[in-house]
Amino acid sequence: ALPTLILFLYIIASLIWWLPCRPWVKLAGGLPLFVIGLKYLVYEKIGGSFIAPDFPPFVLLIMEFLYSAMVILAFLLVVKDVLTLVLLVARGLGGSWRLPFSSAIRGAGLVCTALALSAFGTWQSVRAPDVHTLEIPLPGLPTELDGFSIAQLSDLHIGLLLKKGWLTEVVRKTNGLAADLVVLTGDMIDGSPEELQDDIAPLGALQAKYGVYGITGNHEYYFGAHRW
């Protein structure tokens, strides 16, 4: 995809091209990035679907971790380059500020930071999410509705990495809130009813005083919303 190609070329131009090493070392550094950038093509051509590829969970986690690290690295490099430009202008105006460390050490630091942030994000994506509470003031709200609580679950994407055990914990946390209403706002699944009927079953245990409601998202339509 074009966005991935842009990210790849930017990392080459901003980081790898300037490394103080031989050309073959730069090539060796750029080649893995190019392969990582082919993630969606690999999903579609080898895994059978760029949305729900038929890969073992650990393979998907590794691929998502590496791709996320690549995206984060590109954004860190943008920040680095903006700071470099600002300091360059400042030196032109008489300043003496420079970026700390050598370019190689800065590059290594940015790569390590990107890997660490991606690892943290990957871990966050597969753990049962924390509850976030938001109070919404509505002028003119009837007094009897003051304090009415809604538990919203969105983008569960049960199927690829998140299975029955994970969903059971999410349902337990949700029921523990004793919300007046529970709403599921789309993208609950990534797969067919036949594949996921057991994994999705814990949703049947959701409880709320005024009911549990859901709407379809685009991923439901990818996998036959009428059948779901």
Side-chain angles (χ1 to χ4, degrees), residues 37-75:
L38 297 177
K39 180 188 77 168
Y40 288 111
L41 185 62
V42 172
Y43 281 1
E44 184 172 1
K45 298 302 182 181
I46 301 178
S49 169
F50 78 94
I51 300 170
D54 185 19
F55 289 138
F58 77 93
V59 173
L60 285 172
L61 275 178
I62 291 173
M63 294 182 73
E64 293 298 325
F65 160 70
L66 292 174
Y67 188 82
S68 297
M70 177 179 171
V71 174
I72 293 170
L73 177 60
F75 279 99

PDB file of all heavy atoms in Angstrom, residues 37-75:
ATOM      1  N   GLY A  37       6.918  -4.233   5.721  1.00  0.00           N
ATOM      2  CA  GLY A  37       5.942  -3.387   5.044  1.00  0.00           C
ATOM      3  C   GLY A  37       4.997  -4.159   4.137  1.00  0.00           C
ATOM      4  O   GLY A  37       3.944  -3.639   3.742  1.00  0.00           O
ATOM      5  N   LEU A  38       5.352  -5.404   3.810  1.00  0.00           N
ATOM      6  CA  LEU A  38       4.501  -6.239   2.947  1.00  0.00           C
ATOM      7  C   LEU A  38       3.457  -7.007   3.759  1.00  0.00           C
ATOM      8  O   LEU A  38       2.849  -7.955   3.247  1.00  0.00           O
ATOM      9  CB  LEU A  38       5.361  -7.223   2.161  1.00  0.00           C
ATOM     10  CG  LEU A  38       6.367  -6.620   1.176  1.00  0.00           C
ATOM     11  CD1 LEU A  38       7.195  -7.739   0.543  1.00  0.00           C
ATOM     12  CD2 LEU A  38       5.651  -5.825   0.086  1.00  0.00           C
ATOM     13  N   LYS A  39       3.231  -6.607   5.002  1.00  0.00           N
ATOM     14  CA  LYS A  39       2.361  -7.366   5.901  1.00  0.00           C
ATOM     15  C   LYS A  39       1.008  -7.682   5.286  1.00  0.00           C
ATOM     16  O   LYS A  39       0.582  -8.848   5.257  1.00  0.00           O
ATOM     17  CB  LYS A  39       2.150  -6.576   7.200  1.00  0.00           C
ATOM     18  CG  LYS A  39       1.261  -7.287   8.202  1.00  0.00           C
ATOM     19  CD  LYS A  39       0.914  -6.402   9.385  1.00  0.00           C
ATOM     20  CE  LYS A  39      -0.157  -5.388   9.019  1.00  0.00           C
ATOM     21  NZ  LYS A  39      -0.725  -4.711  10.201  1.00  0.00           N
ATOM     22  N   TYR A  40       0.323  -6.687   4.777  1.00  0.00           N
ATOM     23  CA  TYR A  40      -1.032  -6.920   4.274  1.00  0.00           C
ATOM     24  C   TYR A  40      -1.024  -7.796   3.020  1.00  0.00           C
ATOM     25  O   TYR A  40      -1.953  -8.581   2.799  1.00  0.00           O
ATOM     26  CB  TYR A  40      -1.734  -5.598   3.999  1.00  0.00           C
ATOM     27  CG  TYR A  40      -2.106  -4.867   5.262  1.00  0.00           C
ATOM     28  CD1 TYR A  40      -1.464  -3.688   5.616  1.00  0.00           C
ATOM     29  CD2 TYR A  40      -3.080  -5.380   6.115  1.00  0.00           C
ATOM     30  CE1 TYR A  40      -1.791  -3.022   6.785  1.00  0.00           C
ATOM     31  CE2 TYR A  40      -3.412  -4.719   7.289  1.00  0.00           C
ATOM     32  CZ  TYR A  40      -2.768  -3.534   7.625  1.00  0.00           C
ATOM     33  OH  TYR A  40      -3.092  -2.890   8.788  1.00  0.00           O
ATOM     34  N   LEU A  41       0.029  -7.670   2.222  1.00  0.00           N
ATOM     35  CA  LEU A  41       0.150  -8.530   1.043  1.00  0.00           C
ATOM     36  C   LEU A  41       0.353  -9.982   1.468  1.00  0.00           C
ATOM     37  O   LEU A  41      -0.228 -10.906   0.884  1.00  0.00           O
ATOM     38  CB  LEU A  41       1.307  -8.060   0.167  1.00  0.00           C
ATOM     39  CG  LEU A  41       1.490  -8.788  -1.172  1.00  0.00           C
ATOM     40  CD1 LEU A  41       0.264  -8.590  -2.051  1.00  0.00           C
ATOM     41  CD2 LEU A  41       2.747  -8.291  -1.879  1.00  0.00           C
ATOM     42  N   VAL A  42       1.162 -10.177   2.504  1.00  0.00           N
ATOM     43  CA  VAL A  42       1.381 -11.525   3.037  1.00  0.00           C
ATOM     44  C   VAL A  42       0.075 -12.076   3.606  1.00  0.00           C
ATOM     45  O   VAL A  42      -0.262 -13.255   3.398  1.00  0.00           O
ATOM     46  CB  VAL A  42       2.478 -11.494   4.126  1.00  0.00           C
ATOM     47  CG1 VAL A  42       2.577 -12.841   4.836  1.00  0.00           C
ATOM     48  CG2 VAL A  42       3.819 -11.121   3.513  1.00  0.00           C
ATOM     49  N   TYR A  43      -0.653 -11.230   4.319  1.00  0.00           N
ATOM     50  CA  TYR A  43      -1.935 -11.662   4.883  1.00  0.00           C
ATOM     51  C   TYR A  43      -2.871 -12.163   3.785  1.00  0.00           C
ATOM     52  O   TYR A  43      -3.532 -13.186   3.929  1.00  0.00           O
ATOM     53  CB  TYR A  43      -2.608 -10.500   5.608  1.00  0.00           C
ATOM     54  CG  TYR A  43      -2.068 -10.220   6.985  1.00  0.00           C
ATOM     55  CD1 TYR A  43      -1.020 -10.964   7.519  1.00  0.00           C
ATOM     56  CD2 TYR A  43      -2.600  -9.201   7.767  1.00  0.00           C
ATOM     57  CE1 TYR A  43      -0.525 -10.704   8.775  1.00  0.00           C
ATOM     58  CE2 TYR A  43      -2.114  -8.938   9.036  1.00  0.00           C
ATOM     59  CZ  TYR A  43      -1.078  -9.682   9.539  1.00  0.00           C
ATOM     60  OH  TYR A  43      -0.596  -9.423  10.787  1.00  0.00           O
ATOM     61  N   GLU A  44      -2.941 -11.406   2.694  1.00  0.00           N
ATOM     62  CA  GLU A  44      -3.902 -11.724   1.638  1.00  0.00           C
ATOM     63  C   GLU A  44      -3.440 -12.900   0.783  1.00  0.00           C
ATOM     64  O   GLU A  44      -4.230 -13.807   0.475  1.00  0.00           O
ATOM     65  CB  GLU A  44      -4.138 -10.504   0.758  1.00  0.00           C
ATOM     66  CG  GLU A  44      -5.197 -10.716  -0.316  1.00  0.00           C
ATOM     67  CD  GLU A  44      -5.548  -9.443  -1.045  1.00  0.00           C
ATOM     68  OE1 GLU A  44      -4.953  -8.382  -0.732  1.00  0.00           O
ATOM     69  OE2 GLU A  44      -6.414  -9.494  -1.923  1.00  0.00           O
ATOM     70  N   LYS A  45      -2.163 -12.913   0.379  1.00  0.00           N
ATOM     71  CA  LYS A  45      -1.680 -13.926  -0.561  1.00  0.00           C
ATOM     72  C   LYS A  45      -1.374 -15.263   0.106  1.00  0.00           C
ATOM     73  O   LYS A  45      -1.556 -16.322  -0.500  1.00  0.00           O
ATOM     74  CB  LYS A  45      -0.436 -13.415  -1.281  1.00  0.00           C
ATOM     75  CG  LYS A  45      -0.668 -12.159  -2.115  1.00  0.00           C
ATOM     76  CD  LYS A  45      -1.738 -12.362  -3.180  1.00  0.00           C
ATOM     77  CE  LYS A  45      -1.921 -11.104  -4.021  1.00  0.00           C
ATOM     78  NZ  LYS A  45      -2.991 -11.292  -5.045  1.00  0.00           N
ATOM     79  N   ILE A  46      -0.896 -15.204   1.340  1.00  0.00           N
ATOM     80  CA  ILE A  46      -0.529 -16.441   2.029  1.00  0.00           C
ATOM     81  C   ILE A  46      -1.585 -16.833   3.066  1.00  0.00           C
ATOM     82  O   ILE A  46      -1.964 -18.000   3.167  1.00  0.00           O
ATOM     83  CB  ILE A  46       0.857 -16.306   2.708  1.00  0.00           C
ATOM     84  CG1 ILE A  46       1.928 -15.979   1.645  1.00  0.00           C
ATOM     85  CG2 ILE A  46       1.218 -17.578   3.457  1.00  0.00           C
ATOM     86  CD1 ILE A  46       3.312 -15.778   2.220  1.00  0.00           C
ATOM     87  N   GLY A  47      -2.059 -15.823   3.807  1.00  0.00           N
ATOM     88  CA  GLY A  47      -3.044 -16.109   4.852  1.00  0.00           C
ATOM     89  C   GLY A  47      -4.465 -16.199   4.356  1.00  0.00           C
ATOM     90  O   GLY A  47      -5.358 -16.612   5.111  1.00  0.00           O
ATOM     91  N   GLY A  48      -4.710 -15.801   3.111  1.00  0.00           N
ATOM     92  CA  GLY A  48      -6.040 -15.924   2.542  1.00  0.00           C
ATOM     93  C   GLY A  48      -6.944 -14.740   2.750  1.00  0.00           C
ATOM     94  O   GLY A  48      -8.005 -14.636   2.122  1.00  0.00           O
ATOM     95  N   SER A  49      -6.572 -13.793   3.616  1.00  0.00           N
ATOM     96  CA  SER A  49      -7.404 -12.609   3.877  1.00  0.00           C
ATOM     97  C   SER A  49      -6.571 -11.562   4.593  1.00  0.00           C
ATOM     98  O   SER A  49      -5.883 -11.872   5.560  1.00  0.00           O
ATOM     99  CB  SER A  49      -8.611 -12.985   4.743  1.00  0.00           C
ATOM    100  OG  SER A  49      -9.273 -11.826   5.213  1.00  0.00           O
ATOM    101  N   PHE A  50      -6.643 -10.313   4.123  1.00  0.00           N
ATOM    102  CA  PHE A  50      -5.882  -9.267   4.811  1.00  0.00           C
ATOM    103  C   PHE A  50      -6.587  -8.833   6.093  1.00  0.00           C
ATOM    104  O   PHE A  50      -6.005  -8.138   6.924  1.00  0.00           O
ATOM    105  CB  PHE A  50      -5.658  -8.063   3.885  1.00  0.00           C
ATOM    106  CG  PHE A  50      -6.848  -7.159   3.719  1.00  0.00           C
ATOM    107  CD1 PHE A  50      -7.006  -6.043   4.510  1.00  0.00           C
ATOM    108  CD2 PHE A  50      -7.813  -7.432   2.762  1.00  0.00           C
ATOM    109  CE1 PHE A  50      -8.098  -5.213   4.361  1.00  0.00           C
ATOM    110  CE2 PHE A  50      -8.905  -6.615   2.592  1.00  0.00           C
ATOM    111  CZ  PHE A  50      -9.054  -5.492   3.396  1.00  0.00           C
ATOM    112  N   ILE A  51      -7.847  -9.257   6.289  1.00  0.00           N
ATOM    113  CA  ILE A  51      -8.592  -8.919   7.501  1.00  0.00           C
ATOM    114  C   ILE A  51      -8.413  -9.997   8.558  1.00  0.00           C
ATOM    115  O   ILE A  51      -8.149  -9.701   9.721  1.00  0.00           O
ATOM    116  CB  ILE A  51     -10.091  -8.749   7.184  1.00  0.00           C
ATOM    117  CG1 ILE A  51     -10.290  -7.643   6.162  1.00  0.00           C
ATOM    118  CG2 ILE A  51     -10.882  -8.452   8.457  1.00  0.00           C
ATOM    119  CD1 ILE A  51     -11.694  -7.561   5.624  1.00  0.00           C
ATOM    120  N   ALA A  52      -8.570 -11.254   8.152  1.00  0.00           N
ATOM    121  CA  ALA A  52      -8.469 -12.372   9.094  1.00  0.00           C
ATOM    122  C   ALA A  52      -7.624 -13.480   8.485  1.00  0.00           C
ATOM    123  O   ALA A  52      -8.139 -14.527   8.091  1.00  0.00           O
ATOM    124  CB  ALA A  52      -9.855 -12.883   9.455  1.00  0.00           C
ATOM    125  N   PRO A  53      -6.318 -13.292   8.390  1.00  0.00           N
ATOM    126  CA  PRO A  53      -5.454 -14.304   7.770  1.00  0.00           C
ATOM    127  C   PRO A  53      -5.385 -15.578   8.605  1.00  0.00           C
ATOM    128  O   PRO A  53      -5.470 -15.533   9.837  1.00  0.00           O
ATOM    129  CB  PRO A  53      -4.089 -13.607   7.707  1.00  0.00           C
ATOM    130  CG  PRO A  53      -4.135 -12.598   8.804  1.00  0.00           C
ATOM    131  CD  PRO A  53      -5.555 -12.128   8.873  1.00  0.00           C
ATOM    132  N   ASP A  54      -5.202 -16.677   7.926  1.00  0.00           N
ATOM    133  CA  ASP A  54      -5.136 -17.975   8.591  1.00  0.00           C
ATOM    134  C   ASP A  54      -3.705 -18.253   9.031  1.00  0.00           C
ATOM    135  O   ASP A  54      -2.984 -19.056   8.433  1.00  0.00           O
ATOM    136  CB  ASP A  54      -5.643 -19.063   7.641  1.00  0.00           C
ATOM    137  CG  ASP A  54      -5.722 -20.426   8.315  1.00  0.00           C
ATOM    138  OD1 ASP A  54      -5.734 -20.463   9.558  1.00  0.00           O
ATOM    139  OD2 ASP A  54      -5.765 -21.445   7.595  1.00  0.00           O
ATOM    140  N   PHE A  55      -3.285 -17.569  10.088  1.00  0.00           N
ATOM    141  CA  PHE A  55      -1.963 -17.747  10.669  1.00  0.00           C
ATOM    142  C   PHE A  55      -2.107 -18.090  12.142  1.00  0.00           C
ATOM    143  O   PHE A  55      -3.085 -17.688  12.789  1.00  0.00           O
ATOM    144  CB  PHE A  55      -1.123 -16.466  10.545  1.00  0.00           C
ATOM    145  CG  PHE A  55      -0.666 -16.152   9.149  1.00  0.00           C
ATOM    146  CD1 PHE A  55      -0.701 -14.845   8.674  1.00  0.00           C
ATOM    147  CD2 PHE A  55      -0.195 -17.143   8.314  1.00  0.00           C
ATOM    148  CE1 PHE A  55      -0.281 -14.540   7.385  1.00  0.00           C
ATOM    149  CE2 PHE A  55       0.227 -16.861   7.029  1.00  0.00           C
ATOM    150  CZ  PHE A  55       0.185 -15.558   6.563  1.00  0.00           C
ATOM    151  N   PRO A  56      -1.133 -18.797  12.708  1.00  0.00           N
ATOM    152  CA  PRO A  56      -1.149 -19.034  14.159  1.00  0.00           C
ATOM    153  C   PRO A  56      -1.096 -17.695  14.909  1.00  0.00           C
ATOM    154  O   PRO A  56      -0.478 -16.737  14.432  1.00  0.00           O
ATOM    155  CB  PRO A  56       0.128 -19.845  14.405  1.00  0.00           C
ATOM    156  CG  PRO A  56       0.429 -20.472  13.081  1.00  0.00           C
ATOM    157  CD  PRO A  56      -0.018 -19.490  12.051  1.00  0.00           C
ATOM    158  N   PRO A  57      -1.731 -17.605  16.073  1.00  0.00           N
ATOM    159  CA  PRO A  57      -1.772 -16.347  16.827  1.00  0.00           C
ATOM    160  C   PRO A  57      -0.397 -15.735  17.084  1.00  0.00           C
ATOM    161  O   PRO A  57      -0.226 -14.518  16.984  1.00  0.00           O
ATOM    162  CB  PRO A  57      -2.469 -16.741  18.134  1.00  0.00           C
ATOM    163  CG  PRO A  57      -3.340 -17.890  17.749  1.00  0.00           C
ATOM    164  CD  PRO A  57      -2.559 -18.648  16.709  1.00  0.00           C
ATOM    165  N   PHE A  58       0.600 -16.573  17.419  1.00  0.00           N
ATOM    166  CA  PHE A  58       1.914 -16.013  17.737  1.00  0.00           C
ATOM    167  C   PHE A  58       2.554 -15.368  16.503  1.00  0.00           C
ATOM    168  O   PHE A  58       3.287 -14.378  16.613  1.00  0.00           O
ATOM    169  CB  PHE A  58       2.834 -17.072  18.353  1.00  0.00           C
ATOM    170  CG  PHE A  58       3.425 -18.042  17.365  1.00  0.00           C
ATOM    171  CD1 PHE A  58       4.673 -17.803  16.797  1.00  0.00           C
ATOM    172  CD2 PHE A  58       2.746 -19.192  17.010  1.00  0.00           C
ATOM    173  CE1 PHE A  58       5.220 -18.698  15.888  1.00  0.00           C
ATOM    174  CE2 PHE A  58       3.288 -20.094  16.111  1.00  0.00           C
ATOM    175  CZ  PHE A  58       4.521 -19.847  15.539  1.00  0.00           C
ATOM    176  N   VAL A  59       2.274 -15.924  15.303  1.00  0.00           N
ATOM    177  CA  VAL A  59       2.790 -15.333  14.069  1.00  0.00           C
ATOM    178  C   VAL A  59       2.135 -13.979  13.836  1.00  0.00           C
ATOM    179  O   VAL A  59       2.798 -12.994  13.477  1.00  0.00           O
ATOM    180  CB  VAL A  59       2.542 -16.265  12.868  1.00  0.00           C
ATOM    181  CG1 VAL A  59       2.933 -15.582  11.568  1.00  0.00           C
ATOM    182  CG2 VAL A  59       3.324 -17.562  13.041  1.00  0.00           C
ATOM    183  N   LEU A  60       0.829 -13.887  14.041  1.00  0.00           N
ATOM    184  CA  LEU A  60       0.117 -12.616  13.891  1.00  0.00           C
ATOM    185  C   LEU A  60       0.645 -11.576  14.868  1.00  0.00           C
ATOM    186  O   LEU A  60       0.840 -10.412  14.509  1.00  0.00           O
ATOM    187  CB  LEU A  60      -1.381 -12.827  14.112  1.00  0.00           C
ATOM    188  CG  LEU A  60      -2.153 -13.498  12.978  1.00  0.00           C
ATOM    189  CD1 LEU A  60      -3.568 -13.813  13.413  1.00  0.00           C
ATOM    190  CD2 LEU A  60      -2.163 -12.611  11.747  1.00  0.00           C
ATOM    191  N   LEU A  61       0.878 -11.988  16.105  1.00  0.00           N
ATOM    192  CA  LEU A  61       1.380 -11.049  17.110  1.00  0.00           C
ATOM    193  C   LEU A  61       2.744 -10.505  16.711  1.00  0.00           C
ATOM    194  O   LEU A  61       3.010  -9.299  16.846  1.00  0.00           O
ATOM    195  CB  LEU A  61       1.468 -11.735  18.477  1.00  0.00           C
ATOM    196  CG  LEU A  61       0.200 -11.750  19.318  1.00  0.00           C
ATOM    197  CD1 LEU A  61       0.430 -12.507  20.609  1.00  0.00           C
ATOM    198  CD2 LEU A  61      -0.282 -10.333  19.615  1.00  0.00           C
ATOM    199  N   ILE A  62       3.617 -11.378  16.235  1.00  0.00           N
ATOM    200  CA  ILE A  62       4.950 -10.945  15.824  1.00  0.00           C
ATOM    201  C   ILE A  62       4.863  -9.977  14.648  1.00  0.00           C
ATOM    202  O   ILE A  62       5.526  -8.930  14.640  1.00  0.00           O
ATOM    203  CB  ILE A  62       5.824 -12.161  15.460  1.00  0.00           C
ATOM    204  CG1 ILE A  62       6.146 -12.971  16.718  1.00  0.00           C
ATOM    205  CG2 ILE A  62       7.120 -11.712  14.785  1.00  0.00           C
ATOM    206  CD1 ILE A  62       6.854 -14.282  16.440  1.00  0.00           C
ATOM    207  N   MET A  63       4.030 -10.296  13.672  1.00  0.00           N
ATOM    208  CA  MET A  63       3.904  -9.438  12.493  1.00  0.00           C
ATOM    209  C   MET A  63       3.306  -8.081  12.862  1.00  0.00           C
ATOM    210  O   MET A  63       3.759  -7.032  12.384  1.00  0.00           O
ATOM    211  CB  MET A  63       3.055 -10.136  11.425  1.00  0.00           C
ATOM    212  CG  MET A  63       3.715 -11.385  10.855  1.00  0.00           C
ATOM    213  SD  MET A  63       2.775 -12.212   9.565  1.00  0.00           S
ATOM    214  CE  MET A  63       2.996 -11.064   8.197  1.00  0.00           C
ATOM    215  N   GLU A  64       2.295  -8.096  13.725  1.00  0.00           N
ATOM    216  CA  GLU A  64       1.690  -6.829  14.145  1.00  0.00           C
ATOM    217  C   GLU A  64       2.671  -6.017  14.992  1.00  0.00           C
ATOM    218  O   GLU A  64       2.745  -4.790  14.879  1.00  0.00           O
ATOM    219  CB  GLU A  64       0.408  -7.096  14.931  1.00  0.00           C
ATOM    220  CG  GLU A  64      -0.714  -7.701  14.106  1.00  0.00           C
ATOM    221  CD  GLU A  64      -1.167  -6.779  12.980  1.00  0.00           C
ATOM    222  OE1 GLU A  64      -1.162  -5.551  13.171  1.00  0.00           O
ATOM    223  OE2 GLU A  64      -1.509  -7.286  11.897  1.00  0.00           O
ATOM    224  N   PHE A  65       3.427  -6.700  15.837  1.00  0.00           N
ATOM    225  CA  PHE A  65       4.437  -6.023  16.658  1.00  0.00           C
ATOM    226  C   PHE A  65       5.478  -5.329  15.779  1.00  0.00           C
ATOM    227  O   PHE A  65       5.805  -4.153  15.984  1.00  0.00           O
ATOM    228  CB  PHE A  65       5.101  -7.046  17.578  1.00  0.00           C
ATOM    229  CG  PHE A  65       6.436  -6.621  18.108  1.00  0.00           C
ATOM    230  CD1 PHE A  65       6.544  -5.605  19.041  1.00  0.00           C
ATOM    231  CD2 PHE A  65       7.603  -7.233  17.654  1.00  0.00           C
ATOM    232  CE1 PHE A  65       7.789  -5.204  19.527  1.00  0.00           C
ATOM    233  CE2 PHE A  65       8.835  -6.847  18.128  1.00  0.00           C
ATOM    234  CZ  PHE A  65       8.929  -5.826  19.069  1.00  0.00           C
ATOM    235  N   LEU A  66       5.989  -6.037  14.781  1.00  0.00           N
ATOM    236  CA  LEU A  66       7.020  -5.464  13.910  1.00  0.00           C
ATOM    237  C   LEU A  66       6.468  -4.326  13.062  1.00  0.00           C
ATOM    238  O   LEU A  66       7.133  -3.292  12.888  1.00  0.00           O
ATOM    239  CB  LEU A  66       7.607  -6.563  13.018  1.00  0.00           C
ATOM    240  CG  LEU A  66       8.426  -7.641  13.729  1.00  0.00           C
ATOM    241  CD1 LEU A  66       8.820  -8.740  12.759  1.00  0.00           C
ATOM    242  CD2 LEU A  66       9.667  -7.028  14.382  1.00  0.00           C
ATOM    243  N   TYR A  67       5.266  -4.493  12.538  1.00  0.00           N
ATOM    244  CA  TYR A  67       4.680  -3.432  11.708  1.00  0.00           C
ATOM    245  C   TYR A  67       4.413  -2.183  12.549  1.00  0.00           C
ATOM    246  O   TYR A  67       4.665  -1.056  12.107  1.00  0.00           O
ATOM    247  CB  TYR A  67       3.389  -3.935  11.068  1.00  0.00           C
ATOM    248  CG  TYR A  67       2.824  -2.982  10.041  1.00  0.00           C
ATOM    249  CD1 TYR A  67       3.319  -2.972   8.742  1.00  0.00           C
ATOM    250  CD2 TYR A  67       1.817  -2.090  10.371  1.00  0.00           C
ATOM    251  CE1 TYR A  67       2.815  -2.098   7.789  1.00  0.00           C
ATOM    252  CE2 TYR A  67       1.299  -1.212   9.430  1.00  0.00           C
ATOM    253  CZ  TYR A  67       1.802  -1.222   8.140  1.00  0.00           C
ATOM    254  OH  TYR A  67       1.301  -0.344   7.211  1.00  0.00           O
ATOM    255  N   SER A  68       3.910  -2.382  13.766  1.00  0.00           N
ATOM    256  CA  SER A  68       3.672  -1.239  14.657  1.00  0.00           C
ATOM    257  C   SER A  68       4.974  -0.519  14.982  1.00  0.00           C
ATOM    258  O   SER A  68       5.019   0.715  15.018  1.00  0.00           O
ATOM    259  CB  SER A  68       3.000  -1.715  15.953  1.00  0.00           C
ATOM    260  OG  SER A  68       1.734  -2.274  15.686  1.00  0.00           O
ATOM    261  N   ALA A  69       6.032  -1.295  15.217  1.00  0.00           N
ATOM    262  CA  ALA A  69       7.333  -0.693  15.499  1.00  0.00           C
ATOM    263  C   ALA A  69       7.803   0.152  14.323  1.00  0.00           C
ATOM    264  O   ALA A  69       8.379   1.234  14.500  1.00  0.00           O
ATOM    265  CB  ALA A  69       8.361  -1.775  15.824  1.00  0.00           C
ATOM    266  N   MET A  70       7.550  -0.330  13.112  1.00  0.00           N
ATOM    267  CA  MET A  70       7.934   0.421  11.911  1.00  0.00           C
ATOM    268  C   MET A  70       7.184   1.743  11.825  1.00  0.00           C
ATOM    269  O   MET A  70       7.776   2.796  11.536  1.00  0.00           O
ATOM    270  CB  MET A  70       7.653  -0.435  10.675  1.00  0.00           C
ATOM    271  CG  MET A  70       7.940   0.243   9.349  1.00  0.00           C
ATOM    272  SD  MET A  70       7.594  -0.875   7.965  1.00  0.00           S
ATOM    273  CE  MET A  70       7.764   0.273   6.576  1.00  0.00           C
ATOM    274  N   VAL A  71       5.892   1.717  12.102  1.00  0.00           N
ATOM    275  CA  VAL A  71       5.088   2.943  12.063  1.00  0.00           C
ATOM    276  C   VAL A  71       5.542   3.922  13.145  1.00  0.00           C
ATOM    277  O   VAL A  71       5.703   5.126  12.891  1.00  0.00           O
ATOM    278  CB  VAL A  71       3.592   2.604  12.241  1.00  0.00           C
ATOM    279  CG1 VAL A  71       2.764   3.879  12.353  1.00  0.00           C
ATOM    280  CG2 VAL A  71       3.099   1.757  11.069  1.00  0.00           C
ATOM    281  N   ILE A  72       5.763   3.414  14.363  1.00  0.00           N
ATOM    282  CA  ILE A  72       6.206   4.272  15.463  1.00  0.00           C
ATOM    283  C   ILE A  72       7.565   4.877  15.154  1.00  0.00           C
ATOM    284  O   ILE A  72       7.805   6.063  15.414  1.00  0.00           O
ATOM    285  CB  ILE A  72       6.244   3.463  16.775  1.00  0.00           C
ATOM    286  CG1 ILE A  72       4.828   3.057  17.188  1.00  0.00           C
ATOM    287  CG2 ILE A  72       6.895   4.287  17.893  1.00  0.00           C
ATOM    288  CD1 ILE A  72       4.789   2.064  18.335  1.00  0.00           C
ATOM    289  N   LEU A  73       8.467   4.068  14.590  1.00  0.00           N
ATOM    290  CA  LEU A  73       9.797   4.568  14.240  1.00  0.00           C
ATOM    291  C   LEU A  73       9.697   5.720  13.245  1.00  0.00           C
ATOM    292  O   LEU A  73      10.415   6.727  13.378  1.00  0.00           O
ATOM    293  CB  LEU A  73      10.644   3.445  13.664  1.00  0.00           C
ATOM    294  CG  LEU A  73      12.047   3.832  13.185  1.00  0.00           C
ATOM    295  CD1 LEU A  73      12.874   4.408  14.329  1.00  0.00           C
ATOM    296  CD2 LEU A  73      12.762   2.630  12.552  1.00  0.00           C
ATOM    297  N   ALA A  74       8.835   5.593  12.269  1.00  0.00           N
ATOM    298  CA  ALA A  74       8.673   6.661  11.283  1.00  0.00           C
ATOM    299  C   ALA A  74       8.232   7.959  11.951  1.00  0.00           C
ATOM    300  O   ALA A  74       8.758   9.041  11.638  1.00  0.00           O
ATOM    301  CB  ALA A  74       7.670   6.240  10.212  1.00  0.00           C
ATOM    302  N   PHE A  75       7.294   7.875  12.880  1.00  0.00           N
ATOM    303  CA  PHE A  75       6.828   9.081  13.569  1.00  0.00           C
ATOM    304  C   PHE A  75       7.920   9.666  14.470  1.00  0.00           C
ATOM    305  O   PHE A  75       8.062  10.891  14.578  1.00  0.00           O
ATOM    306  CB  PHE A  75       5.573   8.788  14.376  1.00  0.00           C
ATOM    307  CG  PHE A  75       4.325   8.782  13.557  1.00  0.00           C
ATOM    308  CD1 PHE A  75       3.769   7.598  13.115  1.00  0.00           C
ATOM    309  CD2 PHE A  75       3.704   9.979  13.199  1.00  0.00           C
ATOM    310  CE1 PHE A  75       2.612   7.591  12.344  1.00  0.00           C
ATOM    311  CE2 PHE A  75       2.555   9.983  12.427  1.00  0.00           C
ATOM    312  CZ  PHE A  75       2.001   8.791  11.991  1.00  0.00           C
TER     313      PHE A  75
END
